[in-house]
Coordinates of all heavy atoms in Angstrom, one line a residue:
M1 N -11.7 -93.3 -131.7 CA -10.9 -92.5 -132.7 C -10.4 -93.5 -133.7 O -9.9 -94.6 -133.4 CB -9.7 -91.8 -132.0 CG -8.8 -91.1 -132.9 SD -7.3 -90.4 -132.2 CE -8.0 -89.3 -131.0
H2 N -10.4 -93.0 -135.0 CA -9.9 -93.8 -136.1 C -8.7 -93.0 -136.7 O -8.9 -91.8 -137.0 CB -11.0 -94.0 -137.2 CG -12.2 -94.7 -136.6 ND1 -12.3 -96.1 -136.6 CD2 -13.3 -94.2 -136.1 CE1 -13.4 -96.4 -136.0 NE2 -14.1 -95.3 -135.8
I3 N -7.6 -93.7 -136.8 CA -6.4 -93.0 -137.3 C -6.1 -93.5 -138.7 O -6.1 -94.7 -139.0 CB -5.2 -93.3 -136.4 CG1 -5.5 -92.7 -135.0 CG2 -3.9 -92.8 -137.0 CD1 -4.5 -93.1 -133.9
H4 N -5.7 -92.6 -139.6 CA -5.4 -92.8 -140.9 C -3.9 -92.2 -141.2 O -3.7 -91.1 -140.9 CB -6.3 -92.2 -141.9 CG -5.8 -92.3 -143.3 ND1 -5.9 -93.4 -144.1 CD2 -5.3 -91.3 -144.1 CE1 -5.3 -93.2 -145.3 NE2 -5.0 -91.9 -145.3
L5 N -3.0 -93.0 -141.6 CA -1.7 -92.5 -142.0 C -1.6 -92.4 -143.5 O -1.9 -93.3 -144.2 CB -0.6 -93.5 -141.5 CG -0.5 -93.7 -140.0 CD1 0.6 -94.7 -139.6 CD2 -0.2 -92.4 -139.3
E6 N -1.1 -91.2 -143.9 CA -1.0 -90.9 -145.3 C 0.4 -90.9 -145.7 O 1.3 -90.3 -145.1 CB -1.6 -89.5 -145.5 CG -1.6 -89.1 -147.0 CD -2.9 -89.4 -147.6 OE1 -3.9 -89.7 -146.9 OE2 -3.0 -89.3 -148.9
P7 N 0.8 -91.7 -146.8 CA 2.2 -91.6 -147.3 C 2.5 -90.3 -148.0 O 2.0 -90.1 -149.1 CB 2.3 -92.8 -148.3 CG 0.9 -93.0 -148.7 CD 0.0 -92.5 -147.6
V8 N 3.2 -89.4 -147.3 CA 3.5 -88.1 -147.9 C 4.9 -87.7 -148.1 O 5.2 -86.7 -148.7 CB 2.8 -87.0 -147.0 CG1 1.3 -87.1 -146.9 CG2 3.4 -87.0 -145.6
T9 N 5.8 -88.6 -147.7 CA 7.2 -88.3 -147.9 C 7.8 -89.5 -148.6 O 7.7 -90.6 -148.3 CB 8.0 -88.1 -146.6 OG1 7.3 -87.0 -145.9 CG2 9.4 -87.7 -146.8
F10 N 8.6 -89.2 -149.7 CA 9.3 -90.2 -150.4 C 10.8 -89.8 -150.5 O 11.2 -88.6 -150.5 CB 8.8 -90.2 -151.9 CG 7.4 -90.6 -152.0 CD1 6.3 -89.7 -151.9 CD2 7.0 -92.0 -152.1 CE1 5.0 -90.1 -152.0 CE2 5.7 -92.4 -152.2 CZ 4.7 -91.4 -152.1
V11 N 11.7 -90.8 -150.6 CA 13.1 -90.6 -150.9 C 13.4 -91.2 -152.3 O 13.0 -92.3 -152.6 CB 14.0 -91.3 -149.8 CG1 15.4 -91.2 -150.2 CG2 13.7 -90.7 -148.4
G12 N 13.9 -90.3 -153.1 CA 14.3 -90.8 -154.4 C 15.8 -91.0 -154.6 O 16.6 -90.2 -154.0
R13 N 16.2 -92.0 -155.2 CA 17.6 -92.2 -155.5 C 17.8 -92.5 -157.0 O 17.0 -93.2 -157.6 CB 18.2 -93.4 -154.6 CG 18.0 -93.2 -153.2 CD 18.5 -94.4 -152.4 NE 18.4 -94.3 -151.0 CZ 17.3 -94.7 -150.3 NH1 16.4 -95.3 -150.9 NH2 17.2 -94.5 -149.0
G14 N 19.0 -92.0 -157.5 CA 19.2 -92.3 -158.9 C 20.5 -93.1 -159.0 O 21.5 -92.8 -158.3
Y15 N 20.6 -94.0 -160.0 CA 21.7 -94.9 -160.2 C 22.2 -94.8 -161.6 O 21.3 -94.7 -162.5 CB 21.4 -96.3 -159.8 CG 20.9 -96.5 -158.4 CD1 19.6 -96.3 -158.1 CD2 21.8 -96.8 -157.4 CE1 19.1 -96.5 -156.8 CE2 21.4 -96.9 -156.1 CZ 20.0 -96.7 -155.8 OH 19.6 -96.9 -154.5
A16 N 23.5 -94.8 -161.8 CA 24.0 -94.7 -163.2 C 23.6 -96.0 -164.0 O 23.4 -95.8 -165.2 CB 25.5 -94.5 -163.2
E17 N 23.5 -97.1 -163.4 CA 23.1 -98.3 -164.1 C 21.8 -98.9 -163.7 O 21.5 -98.8 -162.5 CB 24.3 -99.4 -163.8 CG 25.6 -99.0 -164.2 CD 25.8 -98.8 -165.7 OE1 25.2 -99.6 -166.5 OE2 26.5 -97.9 -166.2
P18 N 21.1 -99.6 -164.6 CA 19.8 -100.2 -164.2 C 20.1 -101.2 -163.1 O 21.1 -101.9 -163.1 CB 19.3 -100.9 -165.5 CG 20.1 -100.2 -166.6 CD 21.4 -99.7 -166.0
G19 N 19.1 -101.4 -162.2 CA 19.2 -102.4 -161.2 C 20.0 -102.0 -160.0 O 20.3 -102.8 -159.1
G20 N 20.4 -100.7 -159.9 CA 21.3 -100.2 -158.9 C 20.6 -100.3 -157.5 O 21.3 -100.7 -156.5
Y21 N 19.3 -100.1 -157.4 CA 18.7 -100.2 -156.1 C 18.6 -101.6 -155.7 O 18.9 -101.9 -154.5 CB 17.2 -99.6 -156.2 CG 16.5 -99.7 -154.9 CD1 16.8 -98.9 -153.8 CD2 15.5 -100.7 -154.7 CE1 16.1 -99.0 -152.6 CE2 14.9 -100.9 -153.5 CZ 15.1 -100.0 -152.5 OH 14.5 -100.1 -151.3
E22 N 18.2 -102.5 -156.6 CA 18.1 -103.9 -156.2 C 19.4 -104.5 -155.8 O 19.5 -105.4 -154.9 CB 17.5 -104.7 -157.4 CG 16.1 -104.3 -157.7 CD 15.9 -103.0 -158.5 OE1 17.0 -102.5 -159.0 OE2 14.8 -102.6 -158.6
A23 N 20.5 -104.0 -156.4 CA 21.8 -104.6 -156.1 C 22.5 -103.8 -154.9 O 23.6 -104.1 -154.5 CB 22.7 -104.5 -157.3
R24 N 21.8 -102.8 -154.4 CA 22.3 -102.0 -153.3 C 23.6 -101.3 -153.6 O 24.5 -101.2 -152.8 CB 22.4 -102.8 -152.0 CG 21.1 -103.4 -151.5 CD 20.2 -102.3 -151.1 NE 19.0 -102.9 -150.4 CZ 17.8 -102.8 -150.8 NH1 17.5 -102.2 -152.0 NH2 16.8 -103.3 -150.2
R25 N 23.7 -100.8 -154.8 CA 24.9 -100.1 -155.3 C 24.8 -98.7 -154.7 O 23.7 -98.2 -154.4 CB 25.0 -100.0 -156.8 CG 25.2 -101.3 -157.4 CD 25.5 -101.2 -158.9 NE 25.7 -102.5 -159.5 CZ 24.8 -103.1 -160.3 NH1 23.7 -102.4 -160.7 NH2 25.0 -104.3 -160.8
P26 N 25.9 -98.0 -154.6 CA 25.9 -96.6 -154.2 C 25.0 -95.7 -155.2 O 25.2 -95.9 -156.4 CB 27.3 -96.1 -154.1 CG 28.1 -97.4 -154.1 CD 27.3 -98.4 -154.8
Y27 N 24.3 -94.8 -154.7 CA 23.4 -94.0 -155.5 C 24.3 -92.8 -156.0 O 25.2 -92.3 -155.3 CB 22.1 -93.6 -154.9 CG 22.2 -93.0 -153.5 CD1 22.6 -91.7 -153.2 CD2 21.9 -93.9 -152.4 CE1 22.6 -91.2 -152.0 CE2 22.0 -93.4 -151.1 CZ 22.4 -92.1 -150.9 OH 22.5 -91.6 -149.7
D28 N 23.9 -92.2 -157.2 CA 24.5 -91.0 -157.7 C 23.7 -89.8 -157.4 O 24.3 -88.7 -157.5 CB 24.7 -91.2 -159.3 CG 25.5 -92.4 -159.6 OD1 26.7 -92.4 -159.3 OD2 24.9 -93.4 -160.1
V29 N 22.5 -89.9 -157.2 CA 21.5 -88.8 -156.9 C 20.6 -89.2 -155.8 O 20.2 -90.4 -155.7 CB 20.7 -88.4 -158.2 CG1 19.6 -87.4 -157.8 CG2 21.5 -88.0 -159.3
V30 N 20.3 -88.3 -154.9 CA 19.4 -88.5 -153.8 C 18.6 -87.2 -153.6 O 19.1 -86.1 -153.7 CB 20.0 -89.0 -152.5 CG1 20.9 -87.9 -151.9 CG2 19.0 -89.4 -151.5
F31 N 17.3 -87.4 -153.3 CA 16.4 -86.3 -153.1 C 15.2 -86.7 -152.3 O 14.9 -87.9 -152.2 CB 16.0 -85.6 -154.3 CG 15.3 -86.5 -155.3 CD1 13.9 -86.7 -155.3 CD2 16.0 -87.2 -156.3 CE1 13.3 -87.6 -156.1 CE2 15.4 -88.1 -157.1 CZ 14.0 -88.3 -157.1
S32 N 14.5 -85.8 -151.7 CA 13.2 -86.1 -151.0 C 12.0 -85.4 -151.7 O 12.2 -84.3 -152.3 CB 13.4 -85.6 -149.5 OG 14.4 -86.3 -148.9
V33 N 10.9 -86.0 -151.5 CA 9.7 -85.4 -152.1 C 8.7 -85.4 -151.0 O 8.4 -86.4 -150.3 CB 9.1 -86.2 -153.3 CG1 7.9 -85.6 -153.8 CG2 10.2 -86.3 -154.4
F34 N 8.1 -84.2 -150.8 CA 7.0 -84.1 -149.8 C 5.7 -83.8 -150.6 O 5.7 -82.8 -151.3 CB 7.3 -83.0 -148.8 CG 6.3 -82.8 -147.7 CD1 6.2 -83.8 -146.7 CD2 5.3 -81.9 -147.7 CE1 5.3 -83.7 -145.6 CE2 4.4 -81.8 -146.7 CZ 4.3 -82.7 -145.7
M35 N 4.7 -84.6 -150.4 CA 3.5 -84.4 -151.1 C 2.6 -83.4 -150.3 O 2.3 -83.6 -149.2 CB 2.7 -85.8 -151.1 CG 3.5 -86.9 -151.8 SD 3.9 -86.6 -153.5 CE 2.5 -87.1 -154.3
L36 N 2.4 -82.2 -150.9 CA 1.8 -81.1 -150.3 C 0.2 -81.3 -150.3 O -0.5 -80.7 -149.6 CB 2.1 -79.8 -150.9 CG 3.6 -79.5 -150.8 CD1 3.9 -78.3 -151.7 CD2 3.9 -79.1 -149.4
G37 N -0.3 -82.1 -151.2 CA -1.7 -82.3 -151.4 C -2.1 -81.4 -152.5 O -1.4 -80.5 -153.0
D38 N -3.4 -81.5 -153.0 CA -4.0 -80.7 -154.0 C -3.1 -80.7 -155.3 O -3.0 -79.7 -156.0 CB -4.1 -79.2 -153.5 CG -5.1 -78.4 -154.4 OD1 -6.0 -79.0 -155.0 OD2 -4.9 -77.2 -154.4
G39 N -2.5 -81.9 -155.6 CA -1.7 -82.0 -156.8 C -0.3 -81.4 -156.8 O 0.3 -81.3 -157.9
R40 N 0.1 -81.0 -155.7 CA 1.5 -80.3 -155.6 C 2.4 -81.2 -154.7 O 2.0 -81.8 -153.8 CB 1.4 -78.9 -155.1 CG 0.5 -78.0 -156.0 CD 0.3 -76.6 -155.4 NE -0.2 -76.7 -154.0 CZ 0.4 -76.1 -153.0 NH1 1.5 -75.4 -153.1 NH2 -0.1 -76.2 -151.8
A41 N 3.7 -81.1 -155.0 CA 4.7 -81.7 -154.2 C 6.0 -80.8 -154.2 O 6.2 -80.0 -155.1 CB 5.1 -83.1 -154.9
R42 N 6.7 -80.9 -153.1 CA 8.0 -80.2 -153.0 C 9.1 -81.2 -153.1 O 9.2 -82.1 -152.3 CB 8.1 -79.4 -151.7 CG 9.4 -78.7 -151.5 CD 9.4 -77.7 -150.4 NE 8.5 -76.6 -150.6 CZ 8.7 -75.5 -151.5 NH1 9.8 -75.5 -152.2 NH2 7.8 -74.6 -151.5
I43 N 10.1 -80.9 -154.0 CA 11.3 -81.7 -154.1 C 12.4 -80.8 -153.3 O 12.6 -79.7 -153.6 CB 11.7 -81.8 -155.5 CG1 10.6 -82.6 -156.3 CG2 13.0 -82.6 -155.6 CD1 10.8 -82.6 -157.8
Y44 N 13.1 -81.5 -152.4 CA 14.1 -80.8 -151.6 C 15.2 -81.7 -151.2 O 15.2 -82.9 -151.5 CB 13.4 -80.2 -150.3 CG 12.8 -81.3 -149.4 CD1 13.5 -81.6 -148.3 CD2 11.6 -81.9 -149.6 CE1 13.0 -82.6 -147.4 CE2 11.1 -82.8 -148.7 CZ 11.8 -83.2 -147.6 OH 11.3 -84.1 -146.8
A45 N 16.2 -81.2 -150.6 CA 17.4 -81.9 -150.2 C 18.0 -82.7 -151.3 O 18.4 -83.9 -151.0 CB 17.1 -82.8 -149.0
A46 N 18.1 -82.2 -152.5 CA 18.6 -82.9 -153.6 C 20.2 -82.7 -153.7 O 20.7 -81.7 -153.5 CB 18.1 -82.4 -154.9
H47 N 20.8 -83.9 -154.0 CA 22.3 -83.9 -154.1 C 22.6 -84.8 -155.4 O 22.1 -85.9 -155.5 CB 22.9 -84.5 -152.9 CG 22.7 -83.7 -151.6 ND1 23.4 -82.6 -151.4 CD2 21.8 -83.9 -150.7 CE1 22.9 -82.1 -150.2 NE2 22.0 -82.8 -149.8
G48 N 23.4 -84.2 -156.2 CA 23.9 -85.0 -157.4 C 23.4 -84.3 -158.7 O 22.6 -83.3 -158.6
E49 N 23.8 -84.8 -159.8 CA 23.4 -84.2 -161.1 C 22.4 -85.1 -161.8 O 22.5 -86.4 -161.8 CB 24.6 -84.1 -162.0 CG 25.7 -83.3 -161.4 CD 25.7 -81.9 -161.9 OE1 25.1 -81.6 -163.0 OE2 26.2 -81.0 -161.2
V50 N 21.3 -84.5 -162.4 CA 20.2 -85.3 -163.0 C 20.2 -84.9 -164.5 O 20.2 -83.7 -164.8 CB 18.9 -85.0 -162.4 CG1 17.8 -85.7 -163.1 CG2 18.9 -85.4 -160.9
D51 N 20.3 -85.8 -165.4 CA 20.2 -85.5 -166.8 C 18.7 -85.3 -167.2 O 17.8 -85.6 -166.5 CB 20.9 -86.6 -167.7 CG 20.3 -88.0 -167.5 OD1 19.1 -88.1 -167.1 OD2 20.9 -89.0 -167.9
R52 N 18.5 -84.8 -168.4 CA 17.1 -84.5 -168.9 C 16.2 -85.8 -168.9 O 15.1 -85.7 -168.5 CB 17.2 -83.9 -170.3 CG 17.7 -82.5 -170.3 CD 17.5 -81.9 -171.7 NE 18.2 -80.6 -171.8 CZ 17.6 -79.4 -171.5 NH1 16.3 -79.5 -171.1 NH2 18.3 -78.3 -171.6
A53 N 16.7 -86.9 -169.3 CA 15.9 -88.2 -169.4 C 15.5 -88.6 -168.0 O 14.3 -88.9 -167.8 CB 16.7 -89.3 -170.1
S54 N 16.4 -88.4 -167.0 CA 16.0 -88.8 -165.7 C 15.1 -87.8 -165.1 O 14.1 -88.2 -164.3 CB 17.3 -88.8 -164.8 OG 18.2 -89.8 -165.3
F55 N 15.2 -86.5 -165.4 CA 14.3 -85.5 -164.9 C 12.9 -85.8 -165.5 O 11.9 -85.7 -164.7 CB 14.8 -84.1 -165.5 CG 13.9 -83.0 -165.2 CD1 13.6 -82.5 -164.0 CD2 13.2 -82.4 -166.3 CE1 12.7 -81.5 -163.8 CE2 12.3 -81.4 -166.1 CZ 12.1 -80.9 -164.9
R56 N 12.8 -86.1 -166.7 CA 11.5 -86.4 -167.4 C 10.9 -87.7 -166.7 O 9.7 -87.7 -166.4 CB 11.6 -86.6 -168.8 CG 11.8 -85.3 -169.6 CD 11.6 -85.5 -171.1 NE 12.7 -86.4 -171.7 CZ 13.8 -85.9 -172.1 NH1 14.1 -84.6 -172.1 NH2 14.7 -86.7 -172.7
E57 N 11.7 -88.6 -166.3 CA 11.2 -89.8 -165.7 C 10.7 -89.5 -164.3 O 9.6 -90.0 -163.8 CB 12.3 -90.9 -165.5 CG 12.0 -92.1 -164.8 CD 10.8 -92.9 -165.3 OE1 10.4 -92.7 -166.4 OE2 10.2 -93.7 -164.5
L58 N 11.4 -88.6 -163.5 CA 10.9 -88.2 -162.2 C 9.5 -87.5 -162.4 O 8.6 -87.8 -161.6 CB 11.9 -87.2 -161.6 CG 11.5 -86.5 -160.3 CD1 11.0 -87.5 -159.2 CD2 12.5 -85.5 -159.8
L59 N 9.4 -86.6 -163.3 CA 8.1 -85.9 -163.6 C 7.0 -86.9 -163.9 O 5.9 -86.8 -163.5 CB 8.2 -84.8 -164.6 CG 9.1 -83.6 -164.2 CD1 9.1 -82.6 -165.4 CD2 8.6 -82.9 -162.9
R60 N 7.3 -87.9 -164.7 CA 6.4 -88.9 -165.1 C 5.9 -89.7 -163.9 O 4.7 -89.9 -163.7 CB 7.0 -89.9 -166.1 CG 6.0 -90.9 -166.6 CD 6.7 -92.0 -167.4 NE 7.5 -92.9 -166.6 CZ 7.0 -93.8 -165.7 NH1 5.7 -94.0 -165.6 NH2 7.8 -94.6 -165.0
Q61 N 6.9 -90.1 -163.0 CA 6.5 -90.8 -161.8 C 5.6 -90.0 -160.8 O 4.7 -90.5 -160.2 CB 7.7 -91.4 -161.1 CG 8.3 -92.6 -161.9 CD 9.4 -93.3 -161.1 OE1 9.3 -93.3 -159.8 NE2 10.4 -93.8 -161.8
L62 N 6.0 -88.7 -160.7 CA 5.1 -87.8 -159.9 C 3.7 -87.7 -160.4 O 2.8 -87.7 -159.7 CB 5.8 -86.4 -159.8 CG 7.1 -86.4 -158.9 CD1 7.8 -85.0 -159.0 CD2 6.7 -86.7 -157.5
A63 N 3.6 -87.6 -161.8 CA 2.3 -87.5 -162.4 C 1.5 -88.8 -162.1 O 0.3 -88.6 -161.8 CB 2.4 -87.3 -163.9
E64 N 2.1 -89.9 -162.1 CA 1.5 -91.1 -161.7 C 0.9 -91.1 -160.3 O -0.1 -91.8 -160.0 CB 2.4 -92.4 -161.9 CG 2.6 -92.8 -163.3 CD 3.5 -94.0 -163.4 OE1 4.0 -94.5 -162.3 OE2 3.7 -94.5 -164.5
K65 N 1.5 -90.3 -159.5 CA 1.1 -90.2 -158.1 C 0.1 -89.0 -157.9 O -0.2 -88.6 -156.8 CB 2.3 -90.0 -157.1 CG 3.2 -91.2 -157.1 CD 4.1 -91.2 -156.0 CE 5.0 -92.5 -156.0 NZ 4.3 -93.7 -155.9
G66 N -0.4 -88.4 -159.0 CA -1.4 -87.4 -159.0 C -0.8 -85.9 -158.9 O -1.5 -85.0 -158.6
V67 N 0.5 -85.8 -159.0 CA 1.2 -84.5 -158.9 C 1.1 -83.8 -160.3 O 1.6 -84.3 -161.3 CB 2.6 -84.6 -158.5 CG1 3.4 -83.3 -158.5 CG2 2.7 -85.2 -157.1
H68 N 0.6 -82.5 -160.3 CA 0.7 -81.7 -161.5 C 1.8 -80.7 -161.5 O 2.3 -80.2 -162.5 CB -0.7 -81.1 -161.9 CG -1.3 -80.3 -160.8 ND1 -0.8 -79.1 -160.4 CD2 -2.3 -80.5 -160.0 CE1 -1.5 -78.6 -159.4 NE2 -2.5 -79.4 -159.2
T69 N 2.2 -80.3 -160.3 CA 3.2 -79.2 -160.1 C 4.2 -79.6 -159.0 O 3.8 -80.0 -157.8 CB 2.5 -77.9 -159.7 OG1 1.6 -77.6 -160.7 CG2 3.6 -76.8 -159.6
A70 N 5.5 -79.6 -159.3 CA 6.5 -79.8 -158.3 C 7.2 -78.5 -158.0 O 7.6 -77.8 -158.9 CB 7.5 -80.8 -158.8
L71 N 7.3 -78.2 -156.7 CA 7.9 -77.0 -156.3 C 9.4 -77.3 -156.0 O 9.7 -78.3 -155.3 CB 7.3 -76.4 -155.1 CG 5.8 -76.1 -155.3 CD1 5.2 -75.7 -153.9 CD2 5.5 -75.1 -156.4
V72 N 10.3 -76.5 -156.5 CA 11.7 -76.7 -156.3 C 12.5 -75.4 -156.1 O 12.1 -74.5 -156.8 CB 12.4 -77.4 -157.6 CG1 13.8 -77.8 -157.4 CG2 11.6 -78.7 -157.9
E73 N 13.4 -75.4 -155.2 CA 14.3 -74.2 -155.1 C 15.6 -74.5 -155.7 O 16.3 -75.5 -155.3 CB 14.4 -73.8 -153.6 CG 15.2 -72.5 -153.5 CD 15.4 -72.1 -152.0 OE1 14.4 -72.1 -151.3 OE2 16.5 -71.8 -151.7
R74 N 16.0 -73.7 -156.7 CA 17.3 -73.9 -157.4 C 18.1 -72.6 -157.3 O 17.6 -71.6 -157.8 CB 17.1 -74.3 -158.8 CG 16.6 -75.7 -158.9 CD 16.8 -76.3 -160.3 NE 18.2 -76.5 -160.5 CZ 18.8 -76.5 -161.7 NH1 18.1 -76.3 -162.8 NH2 20.1 -76.7 -161.9
H75 N 19.3 -72.6 -156.7 CA 20.1 -71.5 -156.6 C 19.3 -70.3 -156.0 O 19.5 -69.2 -156.5 CB 20.6 -71.1 -158.0 CG 21.3 -72.2 -158.8 ND1 22.4 -72.8 -158.3 CD2 20.9 -72.8 -159.9 CE1 22.8 -73.8 -159.2 NE2 21.9 -73.9 -160.1
G76 N 18.6 -70.6 -155.0 CA 17.9 -69.6 -154.2 C 16.6 -69.0 -154.9 O 16.0 -68.1 -154.4
V77 N 16.2 -69.6 -156.0 CA 15.0 -69.2 -156.7 C 13.9 -70.3 -156.7 O 14.2 -71.4 -157.1 CB 15.3 -68.8 -158.2 CG1 14.1 -68.4 -159.0 CG2 16.4 -67.7 -158.2
E78 N 12.7 -70.0 -156.3 CA 11.6 -70.9 -156.3 C 11.1 -71.2 -157.7 O 10.9 -70.2 -158.4 CB 10.5 -70.4 -155.4 CG 9.3 -71.3 -155.3 CD 9.5 -72.5 -154.3 OE1 10.5 -72.4 -153.5 OE2 8.7 -73.4 -154.3
Q79 N 11.0 -72.4 -158.1 CA 10.6 -72.8 -159.4 C 9.4 -73.7 -159.3 O 9.2 -74.5 -158.4 CB 11.7 -73.4 -160.2 CG 12.9 -72.6 -160.4 CD 13.9 -73.3 -161.3 OE1 13.7 -74.4 -161.7 NE2 15.0 -72.7 -161.5
E80 N 8.5 -73.7 -160.4 CA 7.4 -74.7 -160.5 C 7.7 -75.5 -161.7 O 7.9 -75.0 -162.8 CB 6.1 -74.0 -160.6 CG 5.6 -73.3 -159.4 CD 4.2 -72.7 -159.6 OE1 3.6 -72.9 -160.6 OE2 3.7 -72.2 -158.6
W81 N 7.8 -76.8 -161.5 CA 8.0 -77.7 -162.6 C 6.7 -78.5 -162.8 O 6.1 -79.0 -161.9 CB 9.0 -78.8 -162.3 CG 10.4 -78.2 -162.1 CD1 10.9 -76.9 -162.5 CD2 11.6 -78.9 -161.6 NE1 12.2 -76.8 -162.2 CE2 12.6 -78.0 -161.6 CE3 11.8 -80.1 -161.1 CZ2 13.9 -78.3 -161.2 CZ3 13.1 -80.5 -160.7 CH2 14.1 -79.6 -160.7
H82 N 6.1 -78.4 -164.1 CA 4.9 -79.1 -164.4 C 5.1 -80.4 -165.0 O 5.9 -80.6 -165.8 CB 4.1 -78.2 -165.3 CG 3.8 -76.8 -164.7 ND1 2.8 -76.6 -163.7 CD2 4.4 -75.6 -164.8 CE1 2.8 -75.4 -163.4 NE2 3.8 -74.7 -164.0
T83 N 4.3 -81.4 -164.5 CA 4.5 -82.8 -164.9 C 3.8 -83.2 -166.2 O 4.0 -84.2 -166.7 CB 4.0 -83.7 -163.8 OG1 2.6 -83.6 -163.7 CG2 4.7 -83.5 -162.4
G84 N 2.9 -82.3 -166.6 CA 2.1 -82.6 -167.8 C 0.7 -83.0 -167.4 O -0.2 -83.1 -168.3
L85 N 0.5 -83.4 -166.1 CA -0.8 -83.7 -165.6 C -1.7 -82.5 -165.6 O -1.3 -81.4 -165.2 CB -0.7 -84.3 -164.2 CG -2.0 -85.0 -163.6 CD1 -2.3 -86.2 -164.4 CD2 -1.7 -85.4 -162.2
Q86 N -2.9 -82.6 -166.1 CA -3.9 -81.5 -166.1 C -4.1 -81.0 -164.7 O -4.4 -81.7 -163.8 CB -5.2 -82.0 -166.7 CG -6.2 -80.9 -166.9 CD -5.8 -79.8 -167.9 OE1 -5.2 -80.2 -168.9 NE2 -6.2 -78.6 -167.7
I87 N -4.0 -79.6 -164.6 CA -4.3 -79.0 -163.3 C -5.9 -78.8 -163.3 O -6.4 -78.2 -164.2 CB -3.6 -77.6 -163.3 CG1 -2.1 -77.8 -163.3 CG2 -4.1 -76.8 -162.0 CD1 -1.4 -76.5 -163.4
P88 N -6.5 -79.3 -162.3 CA -8.0 -79.2 -162.2 C -8.4 -77.7 -162.1 O -7.7 -76.9 -161.4 CB -8.4 -80.0 -161.0 CG -7.1 -80.3 -160.2 CD -5.9 -80.0 -161.1
V89 N -9.5 -77.4 -162.7 CA -10.1 -76.1 -162.6 C -10.8 -75.9 -161.2 O -11.5 -76.8 -160.8 CB -11.1 -75.8 -163.7 CG1 -11.8 -74.5 -163.5 CG2 -10.5 -76.0 -165.1
K90 N -10.4 -74.9 -160.5 CA -11.0 -74.6 -159.2 C -12.5 -74.2 -159.4 O -12.8 -73.3 -160.3 CB -10.3 -73.5 -158.5 CG -8.8 -73.9 -158.3 CD -8.6 -74.3 -156.9 CE -7.1 -74.5 -156.7 NZ -6.7 -75.4 -155.7
T91 N -13.3 -74.7 -158.6 CA -14.7 -74.2 -158.6 C -15.1 -73.7 -157.2 O -14.4 -74.1 -156.2 CB -15.7 -75.4 -158.9 OG1 -15.5 -76.4 -158.0 CG2 -15.4 -75.9 -160.3
R92 N -16.1 -72.8 -157.2 CA -16.5 -72.4 -155.9 C -17.3 -73.5 -155.2 O -17.8 -74.4 -155.8 CB -17.5 -71.2 -156.1 CG -16.7 -69.9 -156.6 CD -17.6 -68.7 -156.7 NE -18.7 -69.1 -157.6 CZ -19.5 -68.2 -158.3 NH1 -19.3 -67.0 -158.1 NH2 -20.4 -68.6 -159.1
R93 N -17.3 -73.4 -153.9 CA -18.0 -74.3 -153.0 C -19.4 -74.6 -153.5 O -20.2 -73.6 -153.7 CB -17.9 -73.9 -151.6 CG -18.7 -74.9 -150.7 CD -18.5 -74.6 -149.2 NE -17.4 -75.4 -148.8 CZ -16.6 -75.2 -147.8 NH1 -16.7 -74.2 -147.2 NH2 -15.7 -76.1 -147.5
G94 N -19.8 -75.8 -153.7 CA -21.2 -76.1 -154.1 C -21.4 -76.2 -155.6 O -22.4 -76.8 -156.0
E95 N -20.4 -75.8 -156.4 CA -20.5 -75.9 -157.8 C -19.9 -77.2 -158.3 O -18.9 -77.6 -157.7 CB -19.8 -74.7 -158.5 CG -20.5 -73.4 -158.4 CD -19.8 -72.3 -159.2 OE1 -18.9 -72.6 -159.8 OE2 -20.3 -71.2 -159.1
H96 N -20.3 -77.7 -159.4 CA -19.7 -78.9 -159.9 C -19.3 -78.6 -161.3 O -20.0 -77.9 -162.1 CB -20.8 -80.1 -160.0 CG -21.3 -80.4 -158.6 ND1 -20.5 -81.2 -157.8 CD2 -22.4 -80.1 -158.0 CE1 -21.2 -81.4 -156.7 NE2 -22.4 -80.7 -156.8
G97 N -18.0 -78.9 -161.6 CA -17.5 -78.5 -162.9 C -16.5 -79.4 -163.4 O -16.1 -80.3 -163.8

């Protein structure tokens, strides 16, 4: 048997000042990301306030990891946040496109 471990869970932390993680300062925002596969991820267990610039940075970093759509529940409503990464066109089995 050959075992492969896939990194599918990330913990994100946000700091008010640059270098907060390296200096082990208290974080202002914390959240988890579960990579669902097929270019999708779920952001959950978020605590704290995120400004627009930080939100765009999160989407940019997710796109770098191959995510085109992040699923988020806000105030009881499921939302899809798009990172800007192109969503691949689905093809039927055996077709190349």
Side-chain angles (χ1 to χ4, degrees):
M1 178 182 304
H2 301 276
I3 296 174
H4 169 78
L5 296 176
E6 183 91 15
V8 296
T9 303
F10 297 90
V11 174
R13 295 180 186 93
Y15 301 87
E17 300 295 324
Y21 177 77
E22 293 79 11
R24 299 294 190 245
R25 293 189 184 112
Y27 48 82
D28 299 290
V29 173
V30 64
F31 56 90
S32 297
V33 178
F34 185 77
M35 305 298 275
L36 298 167
D38 198 26
R40 297 176 308 124
R42 176 167 297 283
I43 300 171
Y44 64 100
H47 298 280
E49 303 266 335
V50 176
D51 61 19
R52 287 186 189 270
S54 300
F55 172 72
R56 285 191 294 269
E57 175 61 15
L58 171 58
L59 293 180
R60 185 191 69 73
Q61 288 191 33
L62 288 173
E64 283 182 355
K65 296 194 177 306
V67 174
H68 55 70
T69 305
L71 306 174
V72 181
E73 184 179 312
R74 292 197 66 209
H75 309 292
V77 178
E78 182 79 15
Q79 298 180 5
E80 290 187 358
W81 295 347
H82 299 281
T83 66
L85 190 65
Q86 182 68 34
I87 299 173
V89 176
K90 301 259 186 202
T91 58
R92 290 185 300 203
R93 176 173 263 156
E95 290 183 0
H96 299 284

